[in-house]
Amino acid sequence: MERHRKDWMLSIVVPVMNEEDAIDRFLQAVDRELGDRLPALEILFVDDGSTDATLERLRASSLRDPRVRVLSLTRNFGKEAAMTAGLDHARGDAVVPMDVDLQDPPAVILEFIRLWQDEGYDMIYGIRGSRDEDTQAKRASAGLFYRFFNHLAETHIPSNAGDFRLMDRRVVDAIKRLPERNRFMKGLFSWPGYRSIGVYYDRPARESGESKFNFWKLWNFAIDGFVSFSTWPLRIWMYFGAVIAGLAFLYILLLVGRVIVVGNDLPGYASLMTAILFFGGMQLLSVGILGEYVGRLFIETKQRPLYLVAEDSLIDREGQVGEGGGARHGSDAS
């Protein structure tokens, strides 16, 4: 694609769930920063099973502004699936996933576009220059996650880079070919490669609402990332087993030598129970890690779609949906 042509389109993909108070602020900010600077703009909201008035407000915004497109899923499938749905349905020559809370400033998109058009980068990702709105514990845990992930996984993800980025259409098409159901989008964004660069920006506090991620969800999110892109949690037990086997062999030699030298004595109950509990715990832990991988294999083999689409305002506007139309099956990113 000729990136300087006059008829190119930018698609902004915005997954939302129960964000009724943030919709109007987000659209005003996008219009203020990007409104008359782009040849064509598509703002694709993916409603991930909201239970408040989010969907109604999105429908009203779509009727007022033809740039706004609403994709409604049949239930809550999770942010990763909602973002995948947005990438599958985005029509733009360049696509920008971002959150609705305005912690990703729309003004930064202009720098993304400049690097995409003038410098030829296929992916430009935002790097959070400051995370003052996060607690110290969250900042420390995020730093540890990026450090461990990039040390153990084959796919490198930039530190402090979220989903906020611009991707060329060929990058989006490559990501759509990745079919896994357990989706760690930060890793999937980095996996295709292509020419990439980071842009630092200061991340402001949320304009409204609260984060949907608590400690438990972030922990599971980190586990998904490690398991999806690294086999080290499995491989480490081979080394651990080898070390334990070597120590056990040395201990056997020690016991035999002691019996030969000083004769037989009664073994200690405490040391026996300590050994039993320690090795029993290690076995359960290793089986649990193995179970994480087996569980993901089970999910992948079922080949269920990542999401189901109940409503697409673009199709509804064009009159291509008849009365009584049922829920449409979403793509599975294949």
Short mmCIF file of all heavy atoms in Angstrom, two decimals, residues 10-13 83 87 94-99 104 108-109 112-113 122-128 146 156-168 171-172 175 185-193 196-199 201:
data_model
loop_
_atom_site.label_atom_id
_atom_site.label_comp_id
_atom_site.label_asym_id
_atom_site.label_seq_id
_atom_site.Cartn_x
_atom_site.Cartn_y
_atom_site.Cartn_z
N LEU A 10 -7.69 5.07 8.76
CA LEU A 10 -7.21 4.62 10.05
C LEU A 10 -8.39 4.03 10.84
O LEU A 10 -9.44 4.66 10.93
CB LEU A 10 -6.61 5.78 10.85
CG LEU A 10 -6.17 5.45 12.29
CD1 LEU A 10 -4.92 4.57 12.26
CD2 LEU A 10 -5.92 6.73 13.09
N SER A 11 -8.18 2.84 11.40
CA SER A 11 -9.18 2.22 12.27
C SER A 11 -8.66 2.24 13.70
O SER A 11 -7.54 1.80 13.97
CB SER A 11 -9.45 0.76 11.85
OG SER A 11 -10.15 0.70 10.63
N ILE A 12 -9.48 2.78 14.61
CA ILE A 12 -9.19 2.74 16.04
C ILE A 12 -10.08 1.67 16.65
O ILE A 12 -11.30 1.75 16.56
CB ILE A 12 -9.42 4.10 16.71
CG1 ILE A 12 -8.51 5.17 16.10
CG2 ILE A 12 -9.20 4.01 18.21
CD1 ILE A 12 -8.72 6.55 16.68
N VAL A 13 -9.48 0.66 17.25
CA VAL A 13 -10.21 -0.46 17.85
C VAL A 13 -10.27 -0.24 19.36
O VAL A 13 -9.22 -0.12 20.01
CB VAL A 13 -9.55 -1.80 17.51
CG1 VAL A 13 -10.21 -2.94 18.28
CG2 VAL A 13 -9.62 -2.06 16.01
N MET A 83 -10.56 -7.68 21.62
CA MET A 83 -9.58 -7.00 20.78
C MET A 83 -9.35 -7.79 19.48
O MET A 83 -9.20 -7.21 18.41
CB MET A 83 -8.26 -6.83 21.53
CG MET A 83 -7.26 -5.95 20.81
SD MET A 83 -5.76 -5.69 21.77
CE MET A 83 -6.45 -4.93 23.24
N LEU A 87 -9.76 -6.45 15.61
CA LEU A 87 -8.76 -6.58 14.55
C LEU A 87 -9.33 -7.34 13.36
O LEU A 87 -9.01 -7.04 12.20
CB LEU A 87 -7.52 -7.30 15.09
CG LEU A 87 -6.73 -6.59 16.19
CD1 LEU A 87 -5.54 -7.44 16.63
CD2 LEU A 87 -6.26 -5.22 15.73
N ALA A 94 -4.32 1.16 8.41
CA ALA A 94 -3.55 1.10 9.65
C ALA A 94 -4.55 0.97 10.79
O ALA A 94 -5.65 1.53 10.72
CB ALA A 94 -2.68 2.34 9.83
N VAL A 95 -4.17 0.24 11.83
CA VAL A 95 -5.10 -0.06 12.93
C VAL A 95 -4.42 0.32 14.24
O VAL A 95 -3.25 -0.02 14.46
CB VAL A 95 -5.51 -1.54 12.94
CG1 VAL A 95 -6.45 -1.83 14.11
CG2 VAL A 95 -6.18 -1.92 11.62
N VAL A 96 -5.17 0.99 15.12
CA VAL A 96 -4.67 1.39 16.45
C VAL A 96 -5.61 0.83 17.51
O VAL A 96 -6.73 1.32 17.66
CB VAL A 96 -4.58 2.92 16.59
CG1 VAL A 96 -4.18 3.30 18.02
CG2 VAL A 96 -3.60 3.50 15.59
N PRO A 97 -5.19 -0.20 18.27
CA PRO A 97 -5.97 -0.61 19.44
C PRO A 97 -5.67 0.32 20.62
O PRO A 97 -4.52 0.67 20.84
CB PRO A 97 -5.47 -2.03 19.74
CG PRO A 97 -4.47 -2.35 18.67
CD PRO A 97 -4.03 -1.07 18.06
N MET A 98 -6.70 0.69 21.35
CA MET A 98 -6.49 1.55 22.52
C MET A 98 -7.67 1.41 23.47
O MET A 98 -8.74 0.94 23.09
CB MET A 98 -6.27 3.00 22.11
CG MET A 98 -7.44 3.65 21.40
SD MET A 98 -7.06 5.32 20.78
CE MET A 98 -6.61 6.19 22.27
N ASP A 99 -7.45 1.86 24.72
CA ASP A 99 -8.50 1.82 25.73
C ASP A 99 -9.34 3.08 25.68
O ASP A 99 -8.91 4.13 25.18
CB ASP A 99 -7.89 1.66 27.13
CG ASP A 99 -7.20 0.31 27.31
OD1 ASP A 99 -7.62 -0.65 26.63
OD2 ASP A 99 -6.26 0.23 28.11
N ASP A 104 -4.38 6.35 27.19
CA ASP A 104 -3.61 6.36 25.94
C ASP A 104 -4.02 7.61 25.18
O ASP A 104 -5.10 7.64 24.56
CB ASP A 104 -3.90 5.11 25.11
CG ASP A 104 -3.58 3.82 25.85
OD1 ASP A 104 -2.64 3.83 26.66
OD2 ASP A 104 -4.27 2.82 25.62
N VAL A 108 -1.01 11.14 20.61
CA VAL A 108 0.19 10.35 20.29
C VAL A 108 0.02 9.62 18.96
O VAL A 108 1.01 9.30 18.29
CB VAL A 108 0.47 9.35 21.43
CG1 VAL A 108 1.71 8.51 21.14
CG2 VAL A 108 0.64 10.09 22.75
N ILE A 109 -1.21 9.39 18.55
CA ILE A 109 -1.46 8.68 17.29
C ILE A 109 -0.87 9.45 16.11
O ILE A 109 -0.42 8.84 15.12
CB ILE A 109 -2.97 8.45 17.10
CG1 ILE A 109 -3.50 7.53 18.20
CG2 ILE A 109 -3.27 7.84 15.73
CD1 ILE A 109 -5.00 7.30 18.16
N PHE A 112 2.55 8.34 15.77
CA PHE A 112 2.51 6.99 15.19
C PHE A 112 2.39 7.07 13.66
O PHE A 112 3.12 6.38 12.93
CB PHE A 112 1.32 6.21 15.74
CG PHE A 112 1.44 5.79 17.18
CD1 PHE A 112 0.36 5.18 17.82
CD2 PHE A 112 2.60 5.99 17.90
CE1 PHE A 112 0.45 4.78 19.14
CE2 PHE A 112 2.71 5.60 19.23
CZ PHE A 112 1.63 4.99 19.84
N ILE A 113 1.46 7.89 13.20
CA ILE A 113 1.20 8.01 11.76
C ILE A 113 2.42 8.56 11.03
O ILE A 113 2.77 8.10 9.94
CB ILE A 113 -0.04 8.89 11.53
CG1 ILE A 113 -1.29 8.18 12.07
CG2 ILE A 113 -0.21 9.19 10.04
CD1 ILE A 113 -2.54 9.05 12.03
N ASP A 122 6.40 -0.56 10.29
CA ASP A 122 5.16 -1.33 10.19
C ASP A 122 4.39 -1.37 11.50
O ASP A 122 3.18 -1.57 11.51
CB ASP A 122 5.46 -2.77 9.75
CG ASP A 122 6.08 -2.81 8.37
OD1 ASP A 122 5.43 -2.36 7.42
OD2 ASP A 122 7.22 -3.30 8.25
N MET A 123 5.09 -1.21 12.61
CA MET A 123 4.45 -1.17 13.93
C MET A 123 5.12 -0.12 14.79
O MET A 123 6.35 -0.12 14.90
CB MET A 123 4.50 -2.54 14.62
CG MET A 123 3.81 -2.54 15.99
SD MET A 123 3.94 -4.13 16.86
CE MET A 123 3.07 -5.21 15.75
N ILE A 124 4.31 0.74 15.37
CA ILE A 124 4.81 1.76 16.28
C ILE A 124 4.05 1.59 17.58
O ILE A 124 2.82 1.75 17.62
CB ILE A 124 4.62 3.18 15.73
CG1 ILE A 124 5.27 3.31 14.35
CG2 ILE A 124 5.20 4.21 16.70
CD1 ILE A 124 4.35 3.10 13.19
N TYR A 125 4.75 1.20 18.65
CA TYR A 125 4.08 0.91 19.91
C TYR A 125 4.38 2.00 20.93
O TYR A 125 5.46 2.59 20.95
CB TYR A 125 4.51 -0.45 20.46
CG TYR A 125 6.00 -0.68 20.52
CD1 TYR A 125 6.74 -0.27 21.62
CD2 TYR A 125 6.67 -1.30 19.46
CE1 TYR A 125 8.12 -0.48 21.67
CE2 TYR A 125 8.04 -1.51 19.50
CZ TYR A 125 8.76 -1.09 20.61
OH TYR A 125 10.12 -1.28 20.66
N GLY A 126 3.40 2.27 21.77
CA GLY A 126 3.57 3.27 22.82
C GLY A 126 4.27 2.69 24.03
O GLY A 126 3.95 1.59 24.48
N ILE A 127 5.24 3.42 24.57
CA ILE A 127 5.95 3.02 25.79
C ILE A 127 5.60 4.02 26.88
O ILE A 127 5.78 5.23 26.71
CB ILE A 127 7.47 3.00 25.57
CG1 ILE A 127 7.83 2.02 24.44
CG2 ILE A 127 8.20 2.61 26.85
CD1 ILE A 127 9.31 1.99 24.12
N ARG A 128 5.11 3.51 27.98
CA ARG A 128 4.70 4.38 29.08
C ARG A 128 5.92 4.97 29.76
O ARG A 128 6.63 4.28 30.48
CB ARG A 128 3.85 3.59 30.08
CG ARG A 128 2.59 3.03 29.45
CD ARG A 128 2.08 1.84 30.20
NE ARG A 128 0.92 1.24 29.54
CZ ARG A 128 0.42 0.04 29.85
NH1 ARG A 128 1.00 -0.68 30.80
NH2 ARG A 128 -0.63 -0.41 29.21
N TYR A 146 8.05 -8.29 32.87
CA TYR A 146 8.74 -8.07 31.59
C TYR A 146 10.14 -8.67 31.62
O TYR A 146 10.60 -9.24 30.62
CB TYR A 146 8.82 -6.57 31.30
CG TYR A 146 7.51 -5.95 30.85
CD1 TYR A 146 6.85 -5.02 31.64
CD2 TYR A 146 6.93 -6.31 29.65
CE1 TYR A 146 5.65 -4.45 31.24
CE2 TYR A 146 5.74 -5.74 29.23
CZ TYR A 146 5.11 -4.82 30.04
OH TYR A 146 3.92 -4.26 29.64
N HIS A 156 10.24 -11.54 22.18
CA HIS A 156 10.57 -10.40 23.04
C HIS A 156 9.44 -9.38 22.98
O HIS A 156 8.96 -9.03 21.89
CB HIS A 156 11.86 -9.75 22.58
CG HIS A 156 12.23 -8.52 23.35
ND1 HIS A 156 12.92 -8.56 24.54
CD2 HIS A 156 11.98 -7.21 23.10
CE1 HIS A 156 13.10 -7.33 24.98
NE2 HIS A 156 12.53 -6.49 24.13
N ILE A 157 8.99 -8.92 24.14
CA ILE A 157 8.01 -7.84 24.18
C ILE A 157 8.65 -6.63 24.86
O ILE A 157 9.36 -6.78 25.85
CB ILE A 157 6.71 -8.25 24.91
CG1 ILE A 157 6.99 -8.67 26.35
CG2 ILE A 157 6.01 -9.37 24.17
CD1 ILE A 157 5.72 -8.98 27.13
N PRO A 158 8.43 -5.43 24.31
CA PRO A 158 9.07 -4.23 24.89
C PRO A 158 8.53 -3.97 26.29
O PRO A 158 7.33 -4.11 26.56
CB PRO A 158 8.66 -3.12 23.91
CG PRO A 158 8.20 -3.82 22.67
CD PRO A 158 7.65 -5.13 23.10
N SER A 159 9.40 -3.56 27.20
CA SER A 159 8.99 -3.24 28.56
C SER A 159 8.09 -2.00 28.57
O SER A 159 8.32 -1.05 27.82
CB SER A 159 10.22 -2.99 29.44
OG SER A 159 11.01 -4.17 29.52
N ASN A 160 7.07 -2.05 29.41
CA ASN A 160 6.13 -0.94 29.60
C ASN A 160 5.39 -0.56 28.32
O ASN A 160 4.94 0.58 28.16
CB ASN A 160 6.85 0.30 30.15
CG ASN A 160 7.31 0.10 31.58
OD1 ASN A 160 6.61 -0.47 32.40
ND2 ASN A 160 8.52 0.54 31.86
N ALA A 161 5.25 -1.51 27.41
CA ALA A 161 4.45 -1.29 26.20
C ALA A 161 3.15 -2.07 26.34
O ALA A 161 3.16 -3.27 26.60
CB ALA A 161 5.22 -1.75 24.96
N GLY A 162 2.04 -1.38 26.20
CA GLY A 162 0.74 -2.03 26.30
C GLY A 162 0.19 -2.36 24.92
O GLY A 162 0.92 -2.60 23.96
N ASP A 163 -1.14 -2.33 24.82
CA ASP A 163 -1.80 -2.63 23.55
C ASP A 163 -1.83 -1.41 22.62
O ASP A 163 -2.08 -1.56 21.43
CB ASP A 163 -3.24 -3.09 23.80
CG ASP A 163 -3.29 -4.36 24.64
OD1 ASP A 163 -2.40 -5.21 24.47
OD2 ASP A 163 -4.22 -4.50 25.47
N PHE A 164 -1.58 -0.23 23.17
CA PHE A 164 -1.65 1.01 22.40
C PHE A 164 -0.51 1.05 21.39
O PHE A 164 0.66 1.17 21.76
CB PHE A 164 -1.57 2.20 23.36
CG PHE A 164 -1.73 3.53 22.71
CD1 PHE A 164 -2.66 3.76 21.71
CD2 PHE A 164 -0.95 4.61 23.12
CE1 PHE A 164 -2.81 5.00 21.13
CE2 PHE A 164 -1.08 5.86 22.55
CZ PHE A 164 -2.02 6.05 21.55
N ARG A 165 -0.86 0.98 20.10
CA ARG A 165 0.14 0.95 19.03
C ARG A 165 -0.55 1.14 17.70
O ARG A 165 -1.77 0.99 17.58
CB ARG A 165 0.90 -0.38 19.05
CG ARG A 165 0.02 -1.60 18.77
CD ARG A 165 0.76 -2.87 19.05
NE ARG A 165 1.09 -2.99 20.45
CZ ARG A 165 2.21 -3.58 20.89
NH1 ARG A 165 3.08 -4.07 20.03
NH2 ARG A 165 2.43 -3.67 22.19
N LEU A 166 0.24 1.46 16.67
CA LEU A 166 -0.26 1.49 15.30
C LEU A 166 0.35 0.33 14.54
O LEU A 166 1.56 0.10 14.61
CB LEU A 166 0.08 2.81 14.62
CG LEU A 166 -0.42 2.97 13.17
CD1 LEU A 166 -0.81 4.43 12.90
CD2 LEU A 166 0.61 2.54 12.13
N MET A 167 -0.50 -0.40 13.81
CA MET A 167 -0.05 -1.54 13.02
C MET A 167 -0.47 -1.37 11.56
O MET A 167 -1.63 -1.02 11.27
CB MET A 167 -0.65 -2.84 13.57
CG MET A 167 -0.16 -3.20 14.96
SD MET A 167 -0.98 -4.69 15.61
CE MET A 167 -2.60 -4.00 16.01
N ASP A 168 0.47 -1.60 10.68
CA ASP A 168 0.16 -1.61 9.26
C ASP A 168 -0.77 -2.77 8.94
O ASP A 168 -0.82 -3.78 9.66
CB ASP A 168 1.46 -1.73 8.46
CG ASP A 168 1.24 -1.65 6.97
OD1 ASP A 168 1.02 -0.54 6.46
OD2 ASP A 168 1.27 -2.71 6.30
N VAL A 171 0.63 -6.26 9.07
CA VAL A 171 0.85 -6.79 10.41
C VAL A 171 -0.46 -7.34 10.97
O VAL A 171 -0.51 -8.41 11.57
CB VAL A 171 1.43 -5.72 11.34
CG1 VAL A 171 1.61 -6.27 12.74
CG2 VAL A 171 2.75 -5.19 10.80
N VAL A 172 -1.54 -6.58 10.79
CA VAL A 172 -2.86 -7.03 11.25
C VAL A 172 -3.24 -8.34 10.57
O VAL A 172 -3.73 -9.27 11.23
CB VAL A 172 -3.92 -5.95 10.98
CG1 VAL A 172 -5.31 -6.45 11.37
CG2 VAL A 172 -3.59 -4.68 11.76
N ILE A 175 -1.37 -11.18 12.21
CA ILE A 175 -1.92 -11.54 13.52
C ILE A 175 -3.22 -12.31 13.38
O ILE A 175 -3.51 -13.23 14.16
CB ILE A 175 -2.11 -10.26 14.37
CG1 ILE A 175 -0.74 -9.65 14.70
CG2 ILE A 175 -2.87 -10.57 15.66
CD1 ILE A 175 -0.83 -8.30 15.37
N MET A 185 -2.15 -10.99 23.96
CA MET A 185 -2.03 -10.11 22.81
C MET A 185 -0.69 -9.40 22.74
O MET A 185 -0.16 -9.15 21.65
CB MET A 185 -3.16 -9.08 22.82
CG MET A 185 -4.55 -9.69 22.63
SD MET A 185 -4.72 -10.70 21.13
CE MET A 185 -4.47 -9.49 19.83
N LYS A 186 -0.09 -9.06 23.88
CA LYS A 186 1.22 -8.40 23.83
C LYS A 186 2.24 -9.29 23.13
O LYS A 186 3.09 -8.81 22.36
CB LYS A 186 1.69 -8.07 25.25
CG LYS A 186 0.93 -6.94 25.92
CD LYS A 186 1.51 -6.67 27.29
CE LYS A 186 0.81 -5.50 27.97
NZ LYS A 186 -0.62 -5.77 28.23
N GLY A 187 2.18 -10.59 23.40
CA GLY A 187 3.07 -11.51 22.72
C GLY A 187 2.71 -11.70 21.26
O GLY A 187 3.60 -11.76 20.39
N LEU A 188 1.42 -11.77 20.96
CA LEU A 188 0.98 -11.94 19.57
C LEU A 188 1.34 -10.72 18.73
O LEU A 188 1.66 -10.86 17.54
CB LEU A 188 -0.53 -12.19 19.52
CG LEU A 188 -1.02 -13.49 20.17
CD1 LEU A 188 -2.53 -13.61 20.04
CD2 LEU A 188 -0.34 -14.70 19.56
N PHE A 189 1.28 -9.53 19.31
CA PHE A 189 1.67 -8.33 18.57
C PHE A 189 3.15 -8.38 18.19
O PHE A 189 3.54 -7.91 17.11
CB PHE A 189 1.42 -7.07 19.42
CG PHE A 189 -0.03 -6.71 19.55
CD1 PHE A 189 -0.49 -6.11 20.71
CD2 PHE A 189 -0.93 -6.95 18.53
CE1 PHE A 189 -1.83 -5.76 20.84
CE2 PHE A 189 -2.26 -6.61 18.65
CZ PHE A 189 -2.72 -6.01 19.81
N SER A 190 3.98 -8.94 19.06
CA SER A 190 5.42 -8.95 18.81
C SER A 190 5.85 -10.12 17.94
O SER A 190 6.90 -10.03 17.28
CB SER A 190 6.17 -9.01 20.15
OG SER A 190 5.91 -7.88 20.95
N TRP A 191 5.10 -11.21 17.96
CA TRP A 191 5.53 -12.43 17.28
C TRP A 191 5.80 -12.27 15.79
O TRP A 191 6.79 -12.80 15.28
CB TRP A 191 4.50 -13.54 17.51
CG TRP A 191 4.93 -14.86 16.97
CD1 TRP A 191 5.70 -15.80 17.57
CD2 TRP A 191 4.62 -15.38 15.66
NE1 TRP A 191 5.88 -16.88 16.74
CE2 TRP A 191 5.23 -16.64 15.55
CE3 TRP A 191 3.89 -14.89 14.58
CZ2 TRP A 191 5.13 -17.43 14.41
CZ3 TRP A 191 3.78 -15.67 13.43
CH2 TRP A 191 4.40 -16.92 13.36
N PRO A 192 4.95 -11.54 15.01
CA PRO A 192 5.20 -11.48 13.55
C PRO A 192 6.49 -10.79 13.16
O PRO A 192 7.02 -11.01 12.06
CB PRO A 192 3.99 -10.70 13.02
CG PRO A 192 2.95 -10.84 14.06
CD PRO A 192 3.69 -10.88 15.35
N GLY A 193 7.03 -9.95 14.06
CA GLY A 193 8.26 -9.24 13.70
C GLY A 193 7.93 -7.92 13.00
O GLY A 193 7.26 -7.07 13.55
N SER A 196 9.75 -2.26 13.65
CA SER A 196 9.01 -1.68 14.76
C SER A 196 9.86 -0.64 15.49
O SER A 196 11.09 -0.68 15.45
CB SER A 196 8.58 -2.77 15.75
OG SER A 196 7.83 -3.78 15.10
N ILE A 197 9.16 0.26 16.17
CA ILE A 197 9.82 1.29 16.98
C ILE A 197 8.87 1.71 18.08
O ILE A 197 7.64 1.62 17.94
CB ILE A 197 10.23 2.51 16.12
CG1 ILE A 197 11.16 3.42 16.90
CG2 ILE A 197 9.01 3.26 15.63
CD1 ILE A 197 11.73 4.57 16.07
N GLY A 198 9.43 2.15 19.22
CA GLY A 198 8.62 2.61 20.34
C GLY A 198 8.59 4.12 20.43
O GLY A 198 9.52 4.81 20.04
N VAL A 199 7.49 4.63 20.96
CA VAL A 199 7.31 6.07 21.20
C VAL A 199 6.96 6.25 22.67
O VAL A 199 5.98 5.67 23.15
CB VAL A 199 6.20 6.65 20.31
CG1 VAL A 199 5.89 8.09 20.71
CG2 VAL A 199 6.59 6.59 18.84
N TYR A 201 5.55 8.10 25.96
CA TYR A 201 4.53 9.08 26.30
C TYR A 201 4.19 8.96 27.78
O TYR A 201 4.39 7.91 28.39
CB TYR A 201 3.27 8.88 25.45
CG TYR A 201 2.48 7.62 25.77
CD1 TYR A 201 1.37 7.66 26.61
CD2 TYR A 201 2.85 6.39 25.22
CE1 TYR A 201 0.65 6.52 26.91
CE2 TYR A 201 2.12 5.24 25.51
CZ TYR A 201 1.03 5.32 26.35
OH TYR A 201 0.32 4.18 26.64
#
